[in-house]
Amino acid sequence: MAMDSGADGQSHKAHRSRHSGASAKKKTKAKNKDQNSDQKQQNPKAFAFRSNAKAKRLQSRAVEKEQRRLHLPVIDRSYGELPPFVVVVQGPPQVGKSLLIKTLVKHYTKHNLPDVRGPITIVSGKQRRLQFVECPNDINGMIDAAKFADLALLLIDGSYGFEMETFEFLNILQVHGFPKVMGVLTHLDKFKDVKKLKKTKQRLKHRFWTEIYDGAKLFYLSGLIHGKYPKREVHNLARFISVMKFPPLSWRTSHPYILVDRFEDVTPPERVQMNSKCDRNVTLYGYLRGCNLKKGTKIHIAGVGDFSLAGVTGLSDPCPLPSAAKKKGLRDKEKLFYAPMSGLGDLLYDKDAVYININDHFVQYSKVDEMGGTTNKGNKRDVGEALVKSLQTIKNPIDEKLEKSKISLFSQNPNSSLEAEDHNRDSDEAPKLIRDIEPLKQYQSNGEEDESEFDLDSSESSDQDEGVPEGAMLKSEGRNFEEGNADASERLGRVKEQVEFHNGRKRRKAIFGDGVDHSNLKSNEGDEDDDDDDDDNDEGENDRSNEDNESCSGSEFSDGDEEDLKSEDDGMGNISKWRASLVERASKKQNINLMQLVYGKSASTSNTSANEVKDDSENEESDEDEFFKPKGQRAKNSIEGLDGGNINTEDCSKSTKFSELKNWKEEEVYESIRDRFVTGDWSKGALRNQMLEAKTEEDDMDGDFEDLETGEKHESHQKDDSSNGGIQKEDDDAIEERRLKKLALRAKFDAHYDGSESPEEETDVQNGGKFHRSQANDSGYYDKLKEEIELQKQINIAELEDLDETTRLEIEGFRTGMYLRLEVHDVPFEMIEYFDPCHPILVGGIGLGEENVGYMQTRLKRHRWHKKVLKTRDPIIVSIGWRRYQTTPVYAIEDQNGRHRMLKYTPEHMHCLAMFWGPLAPPKTGVLAVQNLSNNQAAFRIIATAYVLEFNHAARIVKKIKLVGYPCKIFKKTALIKDMFTSDLEVARFEGAAIRTVSGIRGQVKKAAKEEIGNQPKKKGGQAREGIARCTFEDRILMSDIVFLRAWTQVEVPQFYNPLTTSLQPRQKTWLGMKTVAELRREHNLSIPVNKDSFYKPIERKARKFNTLVIPKALQADLPFESKPKNIPHRKRPLLEDRRAVVMEPHERKVHALVQHLQLIRNDKMKKRKLKEEQKRKEVEAQRAKDEQVLRKRRREERQERYREQDKLKKKIRRHVEA
Amino acid sequence: MGKITYKRLKGSQNMRQRLLLATLKSTPVLIEDIHADDTLPGLRPHEISLLRLFEKLTDDCLIEINETGTKLKYKPGIIVGGSHLVHDCGVSRAIGYFLEPLILLGLFARKTLVIILKGITNDSKDPSVDTFRSTTFPLLKHFGVPSEGLKLEIKSRGVSPHGGGEVHLAIPTVQHLTATMWTDEGMVKRIRGEAFTTRVSVQLGNEMIYAARGIFNRLLPDVYIASDYRKRSEAGNSSGYGISLVAETTSGCCISADTTVSYPRGDEEEDIEGEEKKELIPAADVGEKLASVLLEEIEKGGVVDSTHQGLLFLLCALCVNDVSKVRVGKLSPYGIETLREIRDFLDVQFVIKPDPSTGTVILKCWGSGMKNLSRKTT
């Protein structure tokens, strides 16, 4: 159009298209083609299937494809905010790993990262956070990294090609549940030749595909610009990462784990000073991943060992997702990043201190100088200074506080004053106890700082419920620097959003504990009585520390009975997240009553954890107390039968009492339950049933305490209840159910919709459109399954949302995605000493029964790239679950009859069974085996992969054994066999065993031989020889026979395992464990022992001499003559007949000569005749052959002639016909 | 390797749940002061028998008892199960006592459990085998246990004091239990039951049935109580009679009650209830009383009766990681004890909310995610 308008204005020379020549021809051709195709497309039948079979085939293929795409839907139990995805950047050294992370971080946050150390968390999108980790180059680091990676970026030096590390890492990933993998080719600027570059790319891509799957993404980074990867390419890579979907992996969804991004030593400095090699207490920070973490869970720190948690606290998210405002993209302010172990960001992590970096213009000096105090830890601050600061930090003026104090009085826990008293008394009574706890408390307080800090902020900001106690504030103030601007947090009630960040900077305190404040805290507890919230908090803390102390030192927990009375939330109060409106609190109080009655003491875990440790009878008593503790309440609720507190009460599930029965014959009595029967009023019955659904929702509402707005609500509900409401309720219920279903459907749709972004899913959608009917039929079950799962999820969410935070925590543990602080006690000091931020710490939760050790049976296959077969009982290092340990497997194979036969070596290309001893892992867990951890070996380090079949407490691998014996005395069919057994006891063990001689005569072991039968040595004065067995055979054996006993004997699997403690030594040092026999031999220069008997020698067999058969005379006499042995005695001299000479008479001699002559003549004649005949026959034959040949020739000619004639005739006829 | 840390407990109370949970969770336990102050200290015969049973079902478990029997060390093994097992439960407690833990053990065993249990089938102290058939098995169905494999055959009935009963039990294995939202108790639509007599007149059974029906008929017409008359070899070694009733609701809940009347065993047990000490209760009274008990159970509400509360809680706690929600009537002492044991062993706590309008209690929990780890993979 524009052209036209232009043409109007000014006349240009029009384009003249060619009418002749090559290009014109081409054009016309193309045009024709186009037209043709157009025509074709216009034909609607053109693409219908012409062939029935083809249609069928295509459809079945489509269905097959569809089915192949389906996976068993996995329930995703992470309900809240997801933790950041871990992107592990892996590759051989010098391939550009750190540079990639740096450029990616720069891309996301516009910050330059000087050093990549430890995990780096960044907010990459509105819904997504990423955590970048560089994979260390040693095999241990690779194994650990594979266990927490959500996405692995495999960096490959394009100019060099693949290196072993890449394949090793791929293998490790595969074994530990294959996370997403993307290859990245670097160093492509080394290619000068474009063609070569293209070819190399192609080649590498295809090799990569064979390893993963066809079409796996391989990304190319073409080169460096100013020492960084090109911006555009990094941008593209980031986009690839941002659309990546991460499927749940079964091991990880069933185990909680944490990738530690901050790590501190919180051992009291005095203890370290006293003994620098004392066991340390450490805190580990990180996002909880996998599944929910319960408080009692044990953890495994990779490379260190198993520990029980001394404390877990949920902290506010240091790198939260942006608030969900409707806007496109991220604001700069929200592009946070958090990398405490790296140099940049808020914290500089050093071995013994943490330095905090603050931009000057963000500093508000009045508040920040505390930080100075914190950084030079241990320095006591001036009292005056502290006072001034306390004044500065107070947000609420005193008059406000006074106002609120009223409210706090109102909301006060009825027994809180009692508690406070108790506490007071406790602290007075048992100063010694507290002394004990003190050091512990200090670092406990360390962690507390975090939470109390936020607590403080929020309590100030939310400023409706209660005044902040001055004491508490002082305390927290004493150790915390104030949060810069907490005002932003006021908007949002939730903790996650409470902390505001400045350009990705979040300031955090960092002290290793200073004793001053502690007394402060204690005194606090003594006199505070107006605020139950913080009181609870402190108590909880105190309580917890008590427990902690108990669990580690075994000191007694004397104040248990008072603790019992405390309300449920005490133990949980320390969770900073805890924030409840008054209504919630009220309702909670109500329903805690029953829980309190049942569970007694609040701190649930204390019981068990204390129980587990050494015996402290005190504790048990407190336990026992609990049974008959809250007397009043129990009586009120009429739960009797627990009476007596007898620990030996009879174990009876039935508790019917026949004595106090109502008289059900009376009308009013039986009419009272009429509605419980179908004969009664159905609507009332339904009401009863539905009540609970509505009730659960409403329970929150009708507490003994009501707020203004909620009170209104509550009343309206009450009206519902009171006004007949049966149908109403029913409706409510139905609505509720419908709502849930709808939610489920929506979520499913969402999932589907999200998925459609990926091409695979898209085709699926199209398919769905095409084969509408068929799909509905096929994936009905699949859809149902998915829907069920979604429904369950919605139910879970609904039910859990119902609870207040504290109870919820108690019930389901810490949710995934929370930022947690784990405290672990008694960690070897080497972990601190050799801590290297470049080696990320993996903390994995130990599942059910996984701390036990036993035999595991695995199905193992030697890796095809490992050059040797593996030898039984040679130590290998395996990685199972979170653990790595060295163990000695015994290889076996299952025989046809189910017997597990030991193998000395693994088969070359086959699976075999491997049994080894170690901490148990659930069946189906992948196992990876390596033998050598050193970096310098060139070959492939992974020796085998396996997976756990079952675990067992008893090994049942057998091997063949062959006992050899020789007859020492033979009776008829019985023989005494010596040398087979060494003692009579052994013989007794083998009674009845089957034996066999070399010649094939079968027999059986009977018993140890008696002396008098064949055991002569004693008679001769020597000792009776033991181990001679009396055996019977099916036939008489010979003295020269050898007797075998073939049996199976149990093979012992060595009970050995050696956890890899690679974190407890310098990283560059290779971990040394048990050596293989071969290694030992090499070291000590020992030759391989050879058994001479095993050598092959030429077999020399003497010809066997058999004696002649002798038939007894009696038998011979009975035999018929025919069968009688006719043995003519052997003669030395020939018989007389042979020896005599014959002398003839003269006449006789003449006759004899004549006969001889005649015979001679005749013979000669016959010979001549024969010759003649022969000649004649030959002549005849030659003649005949000649004739034959001639005849054949003639016949052929005749035939030819005839055919020619015929042909001519035919032609003639044809010609005639044609004519 | 390393030393085993035992979980320390005291007293013989809740021995069954403790051993069961210890086995499922594979935590070694050490129980002290078992009947330490009694005139006859130490483990009771049925407790020993229970330990034997556990030993039989598990692989490589370790049980140590000191000389007086007041201290028990138990290191659980792997639950194997298997068929062709026979266990003599003795006569100090009924088979019901053993069945309760056995069911859960069987579900988490490696192989399907098929076992013959010998002893007292019906007792006033423990739920009878009829109740297991009629109530407990349907209860398991709510947690995803296939009903095909569940089987309990009563070959012969035996009552105290001499027992002589025999039941054949088969329990399938499961991979895991599914969570349930089971709060709708429904309305009672029918009542079924079984009255049995061993080595006594048939008439007694009929009397019981007649009396029980007399109570129910005012409320519900659909009442059917079968009579089971056993004699000779099927009747065990002692004489007695009893009745078990189960009320089914429209939502599939089963509420049961049962009792047995027989001569008590005359040995060390001195604290047997008064009424059984002297004369046996007449059959008509038994029927009437038990009917009343059932009505009282119905009145209490909840999806299970008070006897099954413990089992219900255990099942909820052993579910996959999902929320289970159940409604029970008044919490029974046994149920409370079970809740505590679950808390101690499995680290699972229930949210307990009373529902004042109906007098029931609603319990919610987040399952522990127990999986059958002993099953072999191929």
Side-chain angles (χ1 to χ4, degrees), chain A residues 515-620:
Chain A
V516 213
D517 321 295
H518 193 66
S519 55
N520 229 349
L521 185 137
K522 254 189 290 168
S523 64
N524 250 345
E525 282 165 13
D527 56 22
E528 71 194 329
D529 53 350
D530 53 343
D531 59 322
D532 58 83
D533 185 12
D534 280 35
D535 188 358
D536 283 356
N537 223 344
D538 294 345
E539 270 180 26
E541 212 61 63
N542 191 6
D543 196 353
R544 204 152 60 84
S545 58
N546 271 346
E547 290 153 21
D548 293 344
N549 198 13
E550 225 177 68
S551 59
C552 72
S553 67
S555 83
E556 319 203 317
F557 186 39
S558 58
D559 55 347
D561 39 358
E562 263 78 29
E563 300 283 319
D564 284 357
L565 275 176
K566 267 195 301 174
S567 62
E568 185 67 34
D569 55 330
D570 281 1
M572 310 312 297
N574 48 14
I575 307 318
S576 67
K577 280 184 122 187
W578 191 80
R579 187 129 298 105
S581 73
L582 288 178
V583 178
E584 269 173 355
R585 285 179 59 72
S587 70
K588 190 181 69 193
K589 223 177 284 164
Q590 190 208 20
N591 59 27
I592 273 163
N593 278 340
L594 252 185
M595 281 179 76
Q596 203 178 336
L597 274 173
V598 172
Y599 291 127
K601 217 160 89 179
S602 58
S604 58
T605 46
S606 74
N607 241 339
T608 48
S609 66
N611 278 346
E612 270 170 31
V613 211
K614 292 122 217 166
D615 64 333
D616 36 354
S617 52
E618 266 306 307
N619 205 325
E620 285 300 335

Side-chain angles (χ1 to χ4, degrees), chain B residues 33 55 66 80 117 148 167 218 237 241 288 291 299 325 328-330 345 365 369:
Chain B
D33 294 351
E55 203 174 20
N66 70 349
V80 172
L117 296 168
E148 299 91 68
V167 294
R218 296 190 187 97
N237 304 331
Y241 49 88
E288 205 167 277
E299 189 193 20
K325 191 169 161 188
V328 294
K330 204 178 76 181
F345 277 90
C365 82

Side-chain angles (χ1 to χ4, degrees), chain A residues 75 77 79 254 292 294-296 568 591 594-595 597-599 604-605 607-608 611-615 620 626-627 634 638-642 646-656 658 660-662 664-665 670 673-679 682 685 688-689 691-693 695-696 699-700 792 795-796 799-800 802-803 807 810-812 848-849 852-853 859 917 922-924 947-953 1055 1057, chain B residues 1 6-8 10-17 25-26 33-36 59-60 76-78 93 97 100 110 123-127 181 183-189 215 218-221 250 258-259 288-289 292-293 295-299 301 307 320-323 325 327 330-331 333-334 336-337 339-340 343-344 347-355 357-358 360-362 364 366 370 373 375-378:
Chain A
I75 185 161
R77 291 197 170 86
Y79 298 136
S254 55
N292 292 352
K294 288 216 169 179
K295 279 202 157 168
E568 185 67 34
N591 59 27
L594 252 185
M595 281 179 76
L597 274 173
V598 172
Y599 291 127
S604 58
T605 46
N607 241 339
T608 48
N611 278 346
E612 270 170 31
V613 211
K614 292 122 217 166
D615 64 333
E620 285 300 335
E626 177 198 308
F627 291 138
R634 190 160 296 167
S638 72
I639 297 173
E640 56 267 318
L642 295 181
N646 183 9
I647 54 165
N648 287 323
T649 44
E650 193 148 50
D651 195 0
C652 234
S653 60
K654 233 158 90 171
S655 55
T656 43
F658 284 93
E660 51 220 41
L661 289 173
K662 289 184 200 165
W664 289 94
K665 282 175 184 161
Y670 74 74
I673 61 161
R674 169 71 72 185
D675 291 339
R676 296 279 290 120
F677 286 84
V678 281
T679 51
W682 277 70
R688 189 183 149 87
N689 282 335
M691 201 71 88
L692 65 124
E693 311 270 321
K695 213 64 214 172
T696 46
D699 258 351
D700 297 352
Q792 180 68 49
I795 287 170
N796 285 353
E799 291 296 335
L800 289 172
D802 238 18
L803 308 170
T807 335
E810 192 92 326
I811 297 300
E812 63 158 351
L848 273 175
N852 298 343
V853 285
R859 172 163 295 157
W917 170 262
K924 287 183 184 166
Y947 83 97
V948 180
L949 287 178
E950 63 174 331
F951 47 68
N952 230 325
H953 277 309
Q1055 291 201 349
Y1057 89 94
Chain B
M1 284 170 125
Y6 286 93
K7 189 183 177 78
R8 281 171 175 271
K10 279 206 166 188
S12 71
Q13 53 162 354
N14 307 329
M15 180 85 117
R16 286 187 292 170
Q17 287 110 309
K25 184 84 196 290
S26 57
D33 294 351
I34 302 166
H35 299 292
D59 169 20
D60 198 34
I78 289 159
R93 286 296 286 264
Y97 175 86
E100 284 178 28
R110 176 175 298 165
D123 191 4
S124 54
K125 235 187 244 172
D126 293 300
M181 305 292 281
T183 50
D184 184 9
E185 49 194 349
M187 284 184 290
V188 178
K189 62 175 179 189
I215 300 262
R218 296 190 187 97
L219 289 160
L220 197 72
T250 47
D258 64 74
T259 191
E288 205 167 277
K289 274 199 171 151
S292 308
V293 170
L295 289 181
E296 243 160 50
E297 289 284 357
I298 293 169
E299 189 193 20
T307 313
V320 287
N321 285 328
D322 280 322
V323 174
K325 191 169 161 188
R327 171 205 282 258
K330 204 178 76 181
L331 283 176
Y334 179 75
I336 291 169
E337 290 297 324
L339 285 177
R340 288 183 187 157
R343 196 258 325 261
D344 285 354
D347 206 8
V348 170
Q349 275 205 34
F350 283 73
V351 177
I352 308 163
K353 259 188 206 168
D355 185 2
S357 65
T358 54
T360 52
V361 182
I362 289 169
K364 243 193 278 185
W366 178 261
M370 171 78 74
L373 295 178
R375 282 229 307 204
K376 195 184 169 186
T377 59
T378 46

Side-chain angles (χ1 to χ4, degrees), chain A residues 958-976:
Chain A
V958 288
K959 70 174 177 189
K960 217 186 252 179
I961 190 172
K962 201 171 182 182
L963 304 179
V964 184
Y966 306 96
C968 58
K969 181 142 177 66
I970 297 168
F971 306 104
K972 281 180 178 164
K973 283 182 180 174
T974 304
L976 300 185

